[in-house]
Amino acid sequence: MRHLALDRRSVSLFGCAVVFLFGLPPAMHAPLPPDLFRTGICERNFGPRTPLKPQPLQCWEAMASWYGDAFDGEETASGDAFNMHAATAAHPSLPLGSIVRISNPKNGRSLVVTVNDRGPYVPGRGLDVSYQVARMLGFAQRGIARVQIELLKLPTTSWLTPRAKN
């Protein structure tokens, strides 16, 4: 009889653990409400189930486009070879090596990328992303989208490789 009581207790502990782990609503993948972003300064209300994210240094909105096949393997402004399947972006003025979070407000998806190139060179666009980033944010088919950009980190050292400094 004692053996059964131990088994029941272990089952109930296991059952509680399953309910605790899988019974909570998934906060990691929930889209962010659009009112959390404001042009210039990001203001966020973190609730008890919101995952912690680094506080952005600056926030803004811009039109983003993507580039891929035609530039794959070509040298970027940082001196690295462009990889259309990497999480990278091109920005006209951010320091190379900056870390930004790009969010698509239409579907709530966001991705953290590294700025390693210059561009875009089309008027009215503020950011070029790799094909993989556009695909993951859900605008690869359309080609362009209005995105929200959060500057998370500026580089602490020069991003340029010794080969690119020549």
Side-chain angles (χ1 to χ4, degrees):
M1 195 56 127
R2 181 173 179 194
H3 182 12
L4 289 174
L6 288 176
D7 283 346
R8 259 188 261 144
R9 187 177 71 192
S10 63
V11 168
S12 73
L13 287 176
F14 177 74
C16 289
V18 168
V19 168
F20 177 75
L21 292 175
F22 299 106
L24 297 175
M28 291 291 288
H29 302 290
L32 296 172
D35 64 337
L36 291 179
F37 291 89
R38 305 218 167 131
T39 305
I41 298 173
C42 291
E43 297 177 11
R44 290 185 180 241
N45 275 330
F46 287 111
R49 292 187 179 152
T50 305
L52 293 177
K53 294 182 180 179
Q55 278 297 98
L57 303 172
Q58 185 179 2
C59 296
W60 66 97
E61 288 187 352
M63 287 300 290
S65 55
W66 64 269
Y67 61 124
D69 258 353
F71 299 96
D72 203 27
E74 297 291 321
E75 188 174 348
T76 63
S78 67
D80 297 333
F82 174 68
N83 179 354
M84 65 185 267
H85 300 291
T88 58
H91 189 271
S93 61
L94 281 176
L96 298 174
S98 297
I99 307 295
V100 297
R101 181 184 301 118
I102 305 168
S103 302
N104 184 346
K106 293 203 180 221
N107 59 20
R109 297 179 190 174
S110 66
L111 193 63
V112 176
V113 304
T114 303
V115 175
N116 74 339
D117 205 0
R118 294 291 173 222
Y121 299 106
V122 176
R125 296 196 189 150
L127 190 70
D128 265 343
V129 298
S130 67
Y131 167 76
Q132 181 71 8
V133 172
R135 190 179 69 74
M136 293 180 79
L137 293 178
F139 70 90
Q141 290 285 86
R142 186 166 177 234
I144 61 169
R146 178 157 289 288
V147 296
Q148 294 163 335
I149 305 165
E150 298 172 83
L151 176 61
L152 300 179
K153 184 179 177 188
L154 291 169
T156 54
T157 60
S158 175
W159 179 256
L160 295 177
T161 60
R163 184 181 54 135
K165 287 182 180 179
N166 294 335

